[in-house]
Amino acid sequence: MTAGLPLYVLNSALLTRTVHAGDTAAFCDAVQAQTHLTPTAQELILDQTFEQLPEHARTVAALLSIAEVPLSGGELQQLAAAAGITRPTVTARAVRELASRGLTQSFTDGHTALHNALRPLAAQAAEDLPAQTAQDIAHTLSRLLEGHRGIARLARWMRLLAETGQTDVLLELTSLESFYEGGYPRELRAVMADLADDADRDTISRLEAHNALATWAYGEDDWDTCARHVHAMEDLVATGDTIGPRERVLLATRQLPLYGLAEDVDALDAAFETALASIPAPSSYERALRYSYAHGLYFAGKYQAAGGAAAELADDYRGHLHLENAQLFGDTTALREAFESSETPDDYKRLADCYALFVKSCRKLGIGYGPVAFPAMKLYLFTAAWRSAVDLGQDAVETLMQVGETRTALDLLDRQLIPVANDYNLPEDIVGLRSQRAVVLAYLGDIAAARAELDALDHYQVTPHQTYDIEHQRRVVERLAAHPPTPGS
């Protein structure tokens, strides 16, 4: 009946003592008599357990359900106050009541979360809260979560912005360089789609919503969807009466890669020159345009021109940010200090983008890119651009392998790149990281571990491209097994 699970054993004992006067047989008979009304005996046990909780404990359970993420004691008390529980002692007693029944999870940092098994019942209790109380709780939680960088809290905050009608704040977030790098909830896209289609919204808000949707599609190589949103942006710019330089540059930065993808270099050049003539130089607008133009060249297959443009723009960003090469290519501490004290942190992400485009162009040309992947990776890590950090980190691993620093390459994978992919919800990057790790292990002479690493990937649902990558890496491993590399090679 309890399947031996501690949560159900504990609460079965409590119900036997409090409801059935300690008569175990009576408790079992009561559960068995009602299991035809519920899917499982365990669900019935939890139903009765929740009903037996004091009112304040049920309310606190509802608050933890609304929060979805672990909360500190102080944070939970602020939510409780929004729900009408103003005395901290009452909140603390409610938490102890839930914990004594195994209905919460406690973390070493003092935070508390609801046990997953209780979430459906607690969610129902949350739905029964008065509308104004629920709204006060949502706004309080939004304020508590604002400013946190952990992926779970960020994602919950963003959904709260949509739920509480704070769409203007959500639109501001879409302008941040790191916004599209996180594993944020996909339901935000539906919110953006509604904003983009809302004829009652102002032109600039609709333009920004279409830009967000185009950027998401661009990141997923969904070019048809990207083009559709860019065309909508063109219509808004053509008909809007509040369009300024920022909005025109925003549109141009989305048009240029599409011209490149179509390999229409003439249109790419013309659009770039037209947009460039309308804005001051040097300026943030000019730098954004130059980067999009370089990316357009890359998509058009003009890799040498794209790499050159990216390198030149990187030098300009470096001058703009007053960074020395020693900071970029040396110890991480100096670069982090410069980033944390900067008034324009997004420009560090843009500098990383320039380095990344240079690396990608060199890869296409089959030429070396030197140590450039290292500052790009570090800058992406500083700016929370996790997916890009992993991508450039793999290039950094390749650089280390080429100079014989194989053990350092393994450390980079194990201590930074794989943990980042795990911690920030990037499952699609794990396959590439682990297959690369297999090759590094093989170069270190551990063929058995390399094979085991590749065999473990059989449990993943992989794309055709990933399948090809795994098989390629497997051939490399077997070649190294047959012909081990000489030390230093």
Side-chain angles (χ1 to χ4, degrees):
M1 189 167 64
T2 65
L5 298 173
L7 174 66
Y8 301 106
V9 172
L10 172 62
N11 285 287
S12 294
L14 287 170
L15 289 170
T16 298
R17 186 177 72 246
T18 58
V19 177
H20 297 279
D23 189 338
T24 303
F27 167 73
C28 292
D29 289 343
V31 170
Q32 290 172 357
Q34 296 182 58
T35 51
H36 68 285
L37 300 176
T38 54
T40 65
Q42 287 93 337
E43 184 173 320
L44 180 60
I45 292 168
L46 280 182
D47 282 342
Q48 292 190 1
T49 298
F50 198 71
E51 289 176 6
Q52 294 296 314
L53 289 172
E55 180 182 354
H56 285 147
R58 291 198 300 273
T59 300
V60 168
L63 295 175
L64 290 170
S65 171
I66 293 169
E68 297 183 15
V69 296
L71 298 177
S72 69
E75 291 170 337
L76 183 55
Q77 178 52 44
Q78 290 186 59
L79 279 194
I85 305 176
T86 57
R87 294 171 58 191
T89 54
V90 175
T91 304
R93 187 164 60 248
V95 172
R96 288 196 299 273
E97 181 72 28
L98 292 170
S100 70
R101 295 172 178 263
L103 300 175
T104 59
Q105 295 174 281
S106 298
F107 298 87
T108 55
D109 59 2
H111 286 55
T112 300
L114 197 65
H115 193 292
N116 287 335
L118 196 65
R119 288 190 182 279
L121 293 171
Q124 182 58 56
E127 290 179 6
D128 293 338
L129 291 169
Q132 185 59 53
T133 300
Q135 185 176 0
D136 292 343
I137 292 168
H139 280 284
T140 300
L141 182 60
S142 175
R143 178 174 52 79
L144 289 173
L145 298 183
E146 183 177 358
H148 288 269
R149 294 183 65 176
I151 187 68
R153 286 191 161 217
L154 262 176
R156 182 66 184 111
W157 177 57
M158 288 178 186
R159 285 193 284 111
L160 279 167
L161 292 176
E163 293 167 14
T164 56
Q166 299 179 74
T167 52
D168 288 343
V169 178
L170 199 54
L171 282 171
E172 287 179 19
L173 288 175
T174 66
S175 68
L176 298 178
E177 287 292 317
S178 60
F179 179 81
Y180 303 95
E181 294 275 349
Y184 300 137
R186 291 188 67 87
E187 55 261 43
L188 292 181
R189 303 191 187 196
V191 175
M192 286 296 151
D194 289 342
L195 287 173
D197 294 338
D198 187 354
D200 293 330
R201 296 284 303 201
D202 63 278
T203 299
I204 292 178
S205 293
R206 296 181 65 195
L207 182 78
E208 291 173 341
H210 277 296
N211 175 63
L213 293 164
T215 305
W216 268 313
Y218 168 89
E220 296 174 352
D221 295 337
D222 184 354
W223 300 112
D224 290 341
T225 300
C226 181
R228 177 165 56 83
H229 289 295
V230 171
H231 293 328
M233 293 172 69
E234 291 169 347
D235 291 341
L236 288 168
V237 168
T239 59
D241 56 3
T242 56
I243 302 299
R246 173 185 172 276
E247 290 72 37
R248 295 187 187 281
V249 169
L250 191 63
L251 172 60
T253 59
R254 295 294 169 258
Q255 291 173 318
L256 297 179
L258 291 178
Y259 289 136
L261 191 71
E263 298 185 2
D264 190 344
V265 178
D266 289 339
L268 173 65
D269 289 342
F272 174 62
E273 293 297 336
T274 299
L276 198 61
S278 66
I279 57 175
S283 68
S284 59
Y285 295 153
E286 179 236 13
R287 289 188 291 270
L289 269 177
R290 288 169 60 193
Y291 175 75
S292 290
Y293 176 63
H295 227 140
L297 290 170
Y298 177 85
F299 285 132
K302 306 297 183 182
Y303 303 124
Q304 186 166 353
E312 183 179 341
L313 182 56
D315 280 343
D316 286 352
Y317 267 115
R318 187 174 59 82
H320 166 67
L321 293 169
H322 306 292
L323 291 174
E324 301 294 335
N325 281 332
Q327 293 171 288
L328 289 163
F329 295 93
D331 181 68
T332 300
T333 303
L335 185 58
R336 180 181 289 279
E337 288 175 354
F339 166 72
E340 291 178 348
S341 62
S342 174
E343 295 181 358
T344 56
D346 270 7
D347 281 339
Y348 283 75
K349 163 69 165 54
R350 298 180 182 112
L351 173 57
D353 288 339
C354 294
Y355 285 143
L357 184 54
F358 175 77
V359 169
K360 288 166 62 177
S361 299
C362 289
R363 287 198 326 231
K364 288 290 188 180
L365 292 167
I367 61 177
Y369 43 82
V372 172
F374 290 95
M377 178 190 68
K378 290 188 286 188
L379 290 166
Y380 280 138
L381 288 171
F382 294 164
T383 55
W386 311 119
R387 187 168 283 108
S388 293
V390 168
D391 186 27
L392 269 292
Q394 289 189 268
D395 291 316
V397 168
E398 291 293 330
T399 299
L400 290 168
M401 296 288 288
Q402 290 167 7
V403 297
E405 294 289 342
T406 312
R407 180 62 64 181
T408 305
L410 182 62
D411 287 344
L412 178 58
L413 284 164
D414 287 348
R415 296 183 182 181
Q416 281 200 296
L417 303 182
I418 292 175
V420 164
N422 285 326
D423 292 346
Y424 295 100
N425 192 30
L426 305 176
E428 66 277 14
D429 292 318
I430 288 292
V431 172
L433 287 167
R434 293 190 65 176
S435 66
Q436 186 180 37
R437 184 176 189 272
V439 171
V440 176
L441 288 169
Y443 268 99
L444 288 169
D446 196 343
I447 299 299
R451 288 169 175 159
E453 190 76 27
L454 291 172
D455 289 343
L457 297 180
D458 291 341
H459 302 294
Y460 287 79
Q461 292 184 334
V462 296
T463 65
H465 175 75
Q466 289 173 327
T467 300
Y468 173 83
D469 177 64
I470 292 169
E471 292 308 311
H472 170 73
Q473 304 290 48
R474 194 181 298 276
R475 288 192 295 272
V476 174
V477 168
E478 295 308 320
R479 185 171 69 247
L480 290 170
H483 305 286
T486 57
S489 64

